[in-house]
Amino acid sequence: MSAGTDRAAVPASLADRALAPGDDGYGRYTSGYFRGARPGVVLRPRCAAEVQDAVRYADGHREVPLGILSGGHGISGRSLNDGGTVIALDALDEITVLDDNRVRLGPGARWGDVARALAPHGLGVTAGDNGGVGVGGLATAGGIGWFVREHGLTIDHLRSVDVVTADGRLVRASDEENPDLFWAMRGAGANFGVAVSFELEAHPVGGQVGFAMLVFVVADVAAFLPAWGAAIEAAHPSVTGTLMLGTSPPGAPSTVQALILVDSDSPGAVIERLQPFAGLAPIVEQSVQLTPYSALLPPEPGQHGRGDPHAHSGLVRHLSADVADGLAALLSSDSQVILTVRSAGGAVAGTPADATAYAWRDANFFVATLGGGPDLDRRWSRLTPLLDGMYLSFETDTGPDVVARAFPPAHLERLRALKRQWDPTGLFRDNFFIDPAG
């Protein structure tokens, strides 16, 4: 029996809910959104004190990997592992509406549930684009979602976070308390502790928003992408869009799906703000509707990932001709590839680049690709020099070179110094490890 399955060493507060292979309920912790795993032991705390116990247990079992799971959606797959310890935070799923448009969220809450809980109050928190995503992973990595151009990143609305640090302490991080830790938790949180509670400031959301699905037939993806990029950058701040593209047979046109949110309940305003996109390419399918924002984040029946896909991500200021050529080349890969181009920019740039660990404030687009095989990796490596940064939750490569692409040099130097302060021996090492030694 490995140390990771040392049931006798599990603290008493966690023992009755700890799971190992063969236990009832263990199967839920063997699948993320895309990836499979087989942890040695799953600890399932129900409160901050039990998270402290779980962190102390992990500190005593460093010979095995350590995963921290909130929703399990991260494409990187690092919330689960094989043979190691997983601290599963799904029981910490609080959603409490406070005074002054503030909301307190547990890391195990799902963003779809958050949207539904806030809707009766006319509020929302800009978050991801899938209702099953857990609060914890997204609220420490950045948070690029449907309101990003209008309201910025999720971390821009974070007002405090309670964190269990590597030495087992429970501390609060905010602008007033432990401000350096608060800076690091907003973009590099996985390296600095286990977040057990978030307080965020919600923003107004009307009863309905406009949502469009357009399917273009595109003869030349490399020409289409800069035109799409220019249209998004010129759009009203209430407009946020995502493109989804896949591989096509050689010489055949590509089918490009565009998903566009317009934060308005006025049919006239929605149609007006969509018009610039209508002429980008022939449209073969379209739907435009007014819908509650919460309907865009439906509940998720479960996760059944079993594969080992390759995923890469990058942030770019503009969809320039060079970037568009590189992205189009990905779609000619010998492997099956899914490419997404999400809006960033807009209100994201309203926060100074040095205000949070997430630094890429002038990037208007977030691109991500998912597929398999070395051909995709080779083509992505040719694109990498054109990128302005990356978003860690969508990246499967590892190592110091990846971390160096995720943070500008000054940010990374500060993060290493903070790592020496808060986690000098590297307990939190299995999710894009920031080496305190540099």
Side-chain angles (χ1 to χ4, degrees):
M1 178 176 291
S2 72
T5 55
D6 183 4
R7 295 291 288 269
V10 172
S13 65
L14 299 165
D16 63 335
R17 286 170 49 82
L19 299 175
D23 290 344
D24 290 342
Y26 171 81
R28 186 272 172 253
Y29 303 99
T30 62
S31 295
Y33 195 60
F34 283 108
R35 295 178 177 276
R38 194 168 176 81
V41 63
V42 181
L43 305 178
R44 299 187 296 158
R46 293 160 292 192
C47 62
E50 291 183 5
V51 174
Q52 292 178 272
D53 289 341
V55 167
R56 294 182 185 112
Y57 172 90
D59 185 41
H61 295 81
R62 293 190 179 219
E63 66 276 21
V64 297
L66 171 62
I68 312 297
L69 182 142
S70 56
H73 256 262
I75 292 177
S76 68
R78 292 189 171 72
S79 56
L80 296 172
N81 57 50
D82 290 315
T85 302
V86 167
I87 301 175
L89 304 172
D90 38 352
L92 279 72
D93 58 355
E94 178 185 8
I95 304 172
T96 301
V97 180
L98 308 172
D99 294 333
D100 299 324
N101 291 350
R102 296 206 174 191
V103 57
R104 186 167 56 242
L105 304 177
R110 305 299 179 101
W111 285 111
D113 294 330
V114 173
R116 284 180 283 278
L118 294 182
H121 302 272
L123 298 172
V125 176
T126 180
D129 55 12
N130 185 301
V133 172
V135 165
L138 186 139
T140 54
I144 297 174
W146 286 122
F147 292 114
V148 66
R149 294 187 68 248
E150 185 175 21
H151 294 293
L153 303 170
T154 305
I155 59 172
D156 298 336
H157 297 264
L158 187 59
R159 298 296 172 257
S160 69
V161 55
D162 294 336
V163 185
V164 175
T165 56
D167 57 5
R169 287 184 297 147
L170 177 64
V171 303
R172 173 157 294 187
S174 69
D175 284 334
E176 293 76 33
E177 301 175 81
N178 301 301
D180 279 348
L181 179 60
F182 190 48
W183 181 89
M185 290 298 296
R186 289 174 292 167
N191 263 272
F192 290 92
V194 181
V196 297
S197 182
F198 301 87
E199 188 170 311
L200 299 105
E201 186 172 342
H203 54 79
V205 176
Q208 293 185 308
V209 297
F211 191 72
M213 188 275 289
L214 310 176
V215 179
F216 298 99
V217 174
V218 176
D220 185 348
V221 169
F224 175 81
L225 288 174
W228 167 266
I232 285 287
E233 289 189 49
H236 190 274
S238 66
V239 176
T240 294
T242 293
L243 291 181
M244 302 182 67
L245 307 90
T247 52
S248 298
S254 296
T255 300
V256 178
Q257 184 182 65
L259 304 175
I260 307 171
L261 181 139
V262 181
D263 185 15
S264 174
D265 59 3
S266 164
V270 171
I271 296 302
E272 178 185 359
R273 294 171 193 176
L274 290 173
Q275 281 303 311
F277 303 98
L280 296 179
I283 296 175
V284 295
E285 185 178 346
Q286 62 180 312
S287 69
V288 181
Q289 59 181 319
L290 290 173
T291 185
Y293 166 62
S294 59
L296 303 180
L297 302 173
E300 185 177 68
Q303 299 180 52
H304 307 286
R306 283 289 182 267
D308 187 26
H310 294 217
H312 302 295
S313 76
L315 293 151
V316 293
R317 292 180 179 88
H318 311 289
L319 295 179
S320 65
D322 287 346
V323 170
D325 286 343
L327 294 175
L330 293 174
L331 299 177
S332 62
S333 168
D334 293 336
S335 307
Q336 289 295 312
V337 174
I338 299 172
L339 173 67
T340 60
V341 181
R342 290 174 168 85
S343 296
V348 178
T351 297
D354 62 356
T356 61
Y358 181 101
W360 311 106
R361 296 287 175 171
D362 56 355
N364 284 295
F365 298 96
F366 162 45
V367 297
T369 184
L370 178 72
D375 185 48
L376 172 61
D377 295 340
R378 284 193 297 269
R379 292 173 187 264
W380 183 264
S381 68
R382 297 177 193 140
L383 180 65
T384 298
L386 302 175
L387 304 178
D388 300 307
M390 63 175 292
Y391 190 60
L392 286 173
S393 295
F394 283 71
E395 180 64 50
T396 55
D397 279 355
T398 60
D401 291 345
V402 174
V403 174
R405 293 201 303 271
F407 305 102
H411 278 65
L412 187 53
E413 182 179 357
R414 182 176 178 183
L415 287 166
R416 284 174 175 150
L418 291 171
K419 188 75 168 176
R420 289 192 290 271
Q421 177 182 350
W422 291 97
D423 185 16
T425 60
L427 175 62
F428 302 111
R429 63 197 180 278
D430 291 309
N431 197 341
F432 300 105
F433 177 51
I434 295 171
D435 189 345

